[in-house]
Amino acid sequence: MIAERLTAFVHALRANGLRVGPSETVDAAAVVEVLGLAHRERLREGLAAALLRGERQRAVFDATFDLYFPLRVGPPDEPTAEVTELRDRLAAALAANDQAAMAALAAEAVQALGRYGNSPGSNGYSASQTLDRLRPQILLARVLAALRADRDSAPDFTERLEADEIRRRIQAFRGMVGTDARRRIAELRGTDRIARRAVAPTVDQIDFLYAGRDQLAELRRAVRPLSRKLATRLAARRRRTSHGEIDLRRTLRRSLSTGGVPLRPAYRHRRPQRPELVLLCDISGSVAGFADFTMLLVQALRAEFSRVRVFGFVNRMAEVTELISPALGSSAQRILTEAPVMGLHTNSDYGTALGEFADRWLDAVGPRTSVLILGDARTNRRDPNLPALRLIAARARRVFWLNPEPPSLWDGGDSAATPYASVVPMHPCRNARQLGALIERLLPV
């Protein structure tokens, strides 16, 4: 039973983007054998040490662990209370920072306030419904007043620190409510199914088109470690490809010392030349997050290229190389406010932007240049200007189009993806993991 649960837990982690191999699974089994199931938090930390490779994986691990090793099963033993009573007890638990009481209250609140539906298949529990009815955020002033009453006076900065601490405790309680709601739905629908659907993916699997503000901020923080990994891989590729064709004369000369057997082939060494890179980035609408992350990643990798130039557009093209910096937050937002990337309207117009690049900056593209075009190719039913793209492709060493939309949408609505794909290779690129793999595979070294 425990072995089956642990195996299902590992499969769920893999499905959510964590790379867990057989050796880690064996280590996890040893952890369970040594620690047992009596101390849940100790088991959580032991499995995390055996299965995780980085701190960024911890959120996915914790959410999945709570499904496969839940704190409790079924509804609370105590009868559910009214909303007012729940708030009173929650305020006391927040003031005392009683984690056990907060977890019990979260389960009770979900049971009392979060249930929806009456028929099998349509019933369940909702964390958002529970929190909307309970409204724990309104308890901040009450908890602060209770803490203030325990002392005669306090400096203002101490009260501000306490307010931040209470907000953190309220946020932790909201997380407990979400955990308990997922646990209950898993009991109704099946743990494996909910683990696949209800656990947020790792940051490198977040879909660019649907990422929220917090997720985009997390992606920006992931730029530097991803760039280091890609730089190492690109350097290794450069070393491997520095060997050219076999030099037959030198190989035969070497073979004289081994009786004519060519044990040590000699190669004509190539002189590695770092390629040039040009980015053309659509920074409008939902694709702005995709362009933002890619621009920051390429800037972090600029040491791997002899020259990097970045151009942004909505319906006009502008060079924005100097506006990109991981230290200044969203580069796409900065470009929209500081660069002339829009004309008389705010809709995307790929044809006009490509035509402007071909007219003004075609000298940026040469026989050593790789061009990456980033965008969904939705040109609002305007002329896609395929001749301009052909002109760019004819001058460049390579041109690739990275599209954050899945191929199933490339022929829908105002998308000109299929016509553009007939001129240059187009690749779906929906998350950071796909982007890293494409950059490693496609860009020359």
Side-chain angles (χ1 to χ4, degrees):
M1 180 65 179
I2 298 301
E4 294 176 358
R5 180 164 290 268
L6 180 61
T7 303
F9 174 55
V10 169
H11 284 312
L13 292 177
R14 289 175 183 166
N16 284 297
L18 273 63
R19 295 174 179 174
V20 181
S23 61
E24 289 86 358
T25 305
V26 172
D27 291 342
V31 167
V32 174
E33 183 178 3
V34 171
L35 298 181
L37 303 177
H39 300 282
R40 182 169 175 266
E41 292 307 313
R42 190 182 300 172
L43 177 63
R44 182 198 297 268
E45 297 305 321
L47 289 176
L51 297 173
L52 300 187
R53 301 184 181 182
E55 186 62 30
R56 295 183 184 277
Q57 300 174 336
R58 189 57 192 255
V60 174
F61 172 86
D62 284 337
T64 310
F65 179 89
D66 288 332
L67 288 174
Y68 285 89
F69 300 92
L71 181 61
R72 57 179 56 82
V73 177
D77 296 332
E78 302 176 7
T80 56
E82 297 294 333
V83 175
T84 303
E85 182 186 346
L86 283 172
R87 286 196 191 123
D88 293 340
R89 290 161 56 196
L90 177 58
L94 290 170
N97 195 22
D98 189 338
Q99 297 292 318
M102 289 165 60
L105 282 168
E108 195 171 341
V110 172
Q111 176 68 20
L113 308 175
R115 190 177 183 88
Y116 64 85
N118 296 314
S119 59
S122 65
N123 60 332
Y125 294 88
S126 168
S128 60
Q129 178 177 295
T130 303
L131 294 170
D132 286 343
R133 293 177 177 177
L134 185 60
R135 293 189 294 168
Q137 64 273 12
I138 68 175
L139 299 176
L140 176 62
R142 187 193 302 186
V143 176
L144 286 175
L147 293 176
R148 196 177 300 118
D150 293 337
R151 61 177 184 269
D152 296 332
S153 61
D156 291 340
F157 78 90
T158 303
E159 293 187 2
R160 288 196 296 270
L161 290 176
E162 285 182 342
D164 291 340
E165 173 61 18
I166 299 306
R167 290 190 185 96
R168 187 194 65 78
R169 295 176 189 177
I170 292 174
Q171 188 62 31
F173 174 77
R174 296 174 70 91
M176 293 175 183
V177 169
T179 297
D180 194 78
R182 282 194 300 271
R183 186 263 303 175
R184 291 172 184 274
I185 297 174
E187 291 178 5
L188 293 173
R189 306 278 193 272
T191 303
D192 294 339
R193 179 182 178 186
I194 300 305
R196 289 193 302 268
R197 297 187 178 185
V199 176
T202 53
V203 64
D204 62 342
Q205 287 193 308
I206 295 174
D207 196 314
F208 289 123
L209 293 182
Y210 305 111
R213 181 181 301 176
D214 293 341
Q215 291 175 319
L216 290 175
E218 183 69 16
L219 277 171
R220 283 193 287 272
R221 287 192 290 271
V223 164
R224 196 160 297 280
L226 179 58
S227 66
R228 287 197 296 266
K229 184 185 299 184
L230 286 176
T232 301
R233 292 176 178 175
L234 290 174
R237 274 184 59 198
R238 188 175 292 113
R239 287 193 299 269
R240 289 196 302 269
T241 57
S242 64
H243 296 294
E245 297 178 352
I246 291 180
D247 187 327
L248 185 59
R249 180 176 295 179
R250 290 174 56 209
T251 300
L252 291 176
R253 189 179 297 130
R254 285 183 180 181
S255 70
L256 294 178
S257 63
T258 56
V261 181
L263 296 179
R264 295 183 300 118
Y267 295 91
R268 295 187 181 94
H269 290 279
R270 295 166 51 190
R271 292 184 178 180
Q273 295 182 340
R274 297 176 187 267
E276 300 175 356
L277 185 62
V278 170
L279 262 67
L280 307 181
C281 309
D282 180 6
I283 56 172
S284 64
S286 59
V287 298
F290 166 54
D292 190 17
F293 179 79
T294 308
M295 288 187 291
L296 293 176
L297 178 62
V298 168
Q299 282 296 80
L301 285 171
R302 65 183 310 161
E304 302 301 315
F305 305 95
S306 61
R307 184 173 64 168
V308 175
R309 296 182 70 177
V310 183
F311 297 82
F313 67 90
V314 176
N315 48 60
R316 290 186 58 194
M317 189 73 71
E319 184 166 6
V320 297
T321 308
E322 302 303 323
L323 297 180
I324 300 169
S325 172
L328 298 177
S330 173
S331 297
Q333 189 61 40
R334 189 181 181 199
I335 291 168
L336 286 172
T337 57
E338 299 184 25
V341 294
M342 286 188 290
L344 299 178
H345 59 86
T346 59
N347 298 322
S348 297
D349 187 343
Y350 283 78
T352 299
L354 291 172
E356 189 172 2
F357 178 84
D359 291 340
R360 297 180 58 188
W361 290 287
L362 198 59
D363 59 348
V365 181
R368 293 176 52 200
T369 307
S370 293
V371 179
L372 287 182
I373 304 174
L374 315 177
D376 58 6
R378 294 194 174 274
T379 191
N380 292 290
R381 304 190 186 280
R382 292 180 170 85
D383 179 17
N385 198 356
L386 297 182
L389 183 58
R390 291 192 184 99
L391 186 59
I392 297 169
R395 288 180 60 93
R397 179 181 180 182
R398 296 180 181 179
V399 180
F400 299 107
W401 193 306
L402 305 186
N403 193 328
E405 288 190 341
S408 59
L409 300 179
W410 289 1
D411 290 321
D414 59 349
S415 175
T418 299
Y420 284 135
S422 67
V423 180
V424 298
M426 184 173 290
H427 300 271
C429 184
R430 304 188 62 186
N431 54 53
R433 180 174 293 186
Q434 286 185 348
L435 176 63
L438 286 171
I439 289 179
E440 180 186 357
R441 179 168 58 90
L442 298 179
L443 292 186
V445 293

